[in-house]
Amino acid sequence: MNAKTVKETITWKQLISFFLPLGLSATLVTLSHVIINSTLARADNPEVVIASYAIPLSLLGLTERPVVLLRQACSALVRDRISFRAMGVVSSYVFACIILLGLILCYTPVGEWVFLYFFGVEREMLAATLSVYRILMYVSIFSGLRCLFHGIIIFNMRTKWLTIGMGVRIIAMYFLSLYFITTDNVSSGKVGAIIFLVGMVIEATVAIWEGTSLLKHVIPEKAPNHPIETKQQIFSFYKPLLYSSVIAVIIGPSINAMLGKTTHIHLAISSFAIAGSLTQLVMSFFSYIHQIVLNFYRKDAVRVKKFILLLSFIPGTLIAILAYTPIGPWFMTHVMGVNAELRQASLSAMRIFMIMTIVFPWLDYMNGIIMLRGQTKIMVFSQSANATITVLTLFVAIATVPSWNGVIGALAQSVGMLAELLVVIYVLKRTNDVQQPSQPQENM
């Protein structure tokens, strides 16, 4: 089969049918959290109950990062049952570490210290907060299983199963939420943790069912010319992803900490949070661009670039509509219940976030190239550049224009991501031509 024939097999319909379910499943994640927060808001003391759930959830966001990376690793490296077994060994190590860390946080003084002094939980809320995390810690395991089998499903072009799994999860969470509300059992943050865990178990079950079916009936025992066979090969790809993810963890807390030094602290933090949540909602739909690269770039690089070019304008356009037309103020006022002062501050921050929405699709595209070439070490340097520039921008802005409030956070995060993209482009050009990536395993 010549190159021309291969290119003719990649159509716009194929790319759209592959990408659309991924984008929908990512967007639906936001809806699952809306269901939980809406349920907890029915409690007698909603502020306390929501806080007792939100703080452990933020910790879960940190401890869950290693298992989420299994999706990219599996999608990039697993082509047969031999490589999947090697991936399974690496995954089991990750799961074991996550469980051990969870047990330490839940049942030793370490967890109490983390919640009291790192997250600033009041002592009278400590017991309730720990009880919630003792349920949420198991979410990481089922999330990891889900991501592991998602990698197989994505590579085999069955992306509709991600949307199906997410859809079933949403339905189950909604009906479980109705049960707690109608029986008047929304008494603590544990209700939110139970809803989240049940939803994740269901989504993982769907992924495991479809992934196991592919392993049995579609995926060969040994794929021709695919040398990934050992856990060492998997680790050499996975570890840089993990390291870059750890570096990324400091960005969020750094921004929130520095916003506490602005002229109007509460306005700065609130406006940044509102603008950031809407921006992330828009960007979440486009968070699987790297999967297009992993699965289609070698077959037709030109068509993939055209498709990414088309996608790249959408998030920035959507944020521009919210930030510069009456739609944004109307949405914030009537849907989110934001007052006039906070609304204006949030719109100002959102206008700066447009930089990030323009950069993000191309960064995810370039990261797909990196994973395709197996040069994930580059991501450690690029993420370091992001964190460094973000923190420097925060210090400079706070020292010179503290009255910018939430805009400072949006600017720092956007400029940091731009720096990350520039480093990726520079290193890729230095190492090889971006248009001709080699096999991942050849760079290990």
Side-chain angles (χ1 to χ4, degrees):
M1 183 178 292
N2 57 41
K4 183 177 180 180
T5 305
V6 172
K7 289 184 179 182
E8 288 174 351
T9 64
I10 304 302
T11 65
W12 286 97
K13 182 179 179 180
Q14 283 178 292
L15 290 171
I16 292 171
S17 62
F18 173 85
F19 178 74
L20 189 59
L22 293 176
L24 287 174
S25 65
T27 303
L28 285 173
V29 171
T30 303
L31 181 57
S32 69
H33 293 296
V34 170
I35 290 173
I36 293 173
N37 288 326
S38 299
T39 304
L40 298 181
R42 307 295 183 94
D44 292 334
N45 297 301
E47 296 87 358
V48 175
V49 170
I50 292 174
S52 69
Y53 171 77
I55 294 172
L57 183 66
S58 63
L59 178 58
L60 176 69
L62 302 179
T63 59
E64 191 186 17
R65 280 177 177 267
V67 297
V68 173
L69 298 174
L70 296 176
R71 181 189 288 122
Q72 290 96 312
C74 186
S75 178
L77 303 179
V78 172
R79 299 292 179 268
D80 50 35
R81 295 176 202 167
I82 293 177
S83 54
F84 179 76
R85 285 194 287 270
M87 189 76 227
V89 172
V90 172
S91 301
S92 65
Y93 291 157
V94 175
F95 294 154
C97 291
I98 293 297
I99 291 174
L100 179 60
L101 178 61
L103 292 175
I104 291 172
L105 291 173
C106 287
Y107 300 104
T108 72
V110 173
E112 296 182 5
W113 185 91
V114 169
F115 283 117
L116 286 173
Y117 302 106
F118 185 78
F119 288 98
V121 173
E122 297 173 356
R123 188 165 291 277
E124 54 267 27
M125 284 186 59
L126 179 60
T129 303
L130 280 170
S131 68
V132 172
Y133 189 72
R134 284 169 184 158
I135 299 173
L136 286 180
M137 66 167 280
Y138 296 103
V139 171
S140 296
I141 304 304
F142 290 99
S143 177
L145 290 170
R146 170 198 63 164
C147 291
L148 176 63
F149 285 93
H150 276 177
I152 298 174
I153 293 170
I154 290 171
F155 177 74
N156 285 275
M157 308 297 166
R158 307 289 184 91
T159 52
K160 66 179 181 180
W161 283 98
L162 271 71
T163 305
I164 292 172
M166 195 67 221
V168 175
R169 165 182 162 179
I170 291 290
I171 293 171
M173 291 175 68
Y174 176 71
F175 281 109
L176 186 56
S177 168
L178 286 181
Y179 166 78
F180 282 114
I181 292 172
T182 55
T183 58
D184 197 25
N185 279 320
V186 186
S187 57
S188 71
K190 289 193 292 185
V191 169
I194 292 170
I195 295 174
F196 194 11
L197 178 59
V198 170
M200 190 63 75
V201 169
I202 291 173
E203 188 182 6
T205 301
V206 173
I208 292 170
W209 182 78
E210 173 63 13
T212 302
S213 176
L214 289 171
L215 283 170
K216 289 181 179 178
H217 305 296
V218 177
I219 298 174
E221 175 66 22
K222 175 62 181 176
N225 303 318
H226 184 62
I228 298 294
E229 297 180 349
T230 67
K231 62 183 181 183
Q232 286 78 13
Q233 291 170 302
I234 302 290
F235 267 124
S236 66
F237 180 93
Y238 174 79
K239 283 190 293 185
L241 288 179
L242 181 60
Y243 297 153
S244 64
S245 180
V246 170
I247 295 170
V249 168
I250 72 170
I251 294 176
S254 297
I255 292 175
N256 287 321
M258 293 302 291
L259 289 180
K261 302 181 183 299
T262 54
T263 304
H264 299 95
I265 298 173
H266 296 298
L267 181 64
I269 294 174
S270 299
S271 62
F272 174 76
I274 291 172
S277 64
L278 290 174
T279 303
Q280 289 299 327
L281 178 61
V282 170
M283 286 172 50
S284 65
F285 188 86
F286 304 90
S287 59
Y288 282 100
I289 286 176
H290 63 276
Q291 291 292 349
I292 298 176
V293 178
L294 288 173
N295 290 278
F296 293 102
Y297 192 91
R298 288 199 184 97
K299 298 175 183 177
D300 192 344
V302 174
R303 182 63 58 87
V304 167
K305 286 183 178 179
K306 289 180 178 179
F307 187 66
I308 303 303
L309 181 63
L310 176 65
L311 291 179
S312 67
F313 290 104
I314 299 176
T317 301
L318 293 175
I319 292 298
I321 291 172
L322 289 173
Y324 290 101
T325 73
I327 295 176
W330 178 89
F331 184 85
M332 290 184 183
T333 301
H334 298 286
V335 178
M336 302 181 73
V338 176
N339 62 43
E341 184 183 23
L342 181 55
R343 180 179 67 241
Q344 188 56 47
S346 300
L347 288 171
S348 298
M350 193 179 299
R351 288 165 186 164
I352 300 299
F353 268 131
M354 282 186 62
I355 300 171
M356 190 165 71
T357 59
I358 294 170
V359 170
F360 176 76
W362 292 109
L363 176 61
D364 205 38
Y365 166 77
M366 291 295 179
N367 283 338
I369 297 290
I370 289 172
M371 286 185 273
L372 195 66
R373 294 170 59 172
Q375 296 179 328
T376 49
K377 292 179 181 178
I378 294 174
M379 297 174 74
V380 177
F381 297 104
S382 62
Q383 193 62 65
S384 298
N386 186 338
T388 301
I389 297 300
T390 297
V391 172
L392 286 175
T393 303
L394 286 169
F395 275 106
V396 172
I398 291 296
T400 57
V401 283
S403 61
W404 283 12
N405 298 316
V407 169
I408 293 175
L411 179 64
Q413 194 166 359
S414 298
V415 173
M417 186 172 288
L418 177 60
E420 182 179 356
L421 175 62
L422 293 176
V423 169
V424 169
I425 293 174
Y426 173 76
V427 176
L428 282 176
K429 285 187 175 181
R430 283 288 301 270
T431 55
N432 205 353
D433 180 13
V434 172
Q435 297 188 29
Q436 298 294 331
S438 57
Q439 296 286 341
Q441 55 274 14
E442 292 174 355
N443 293 283
M444 293 179 183

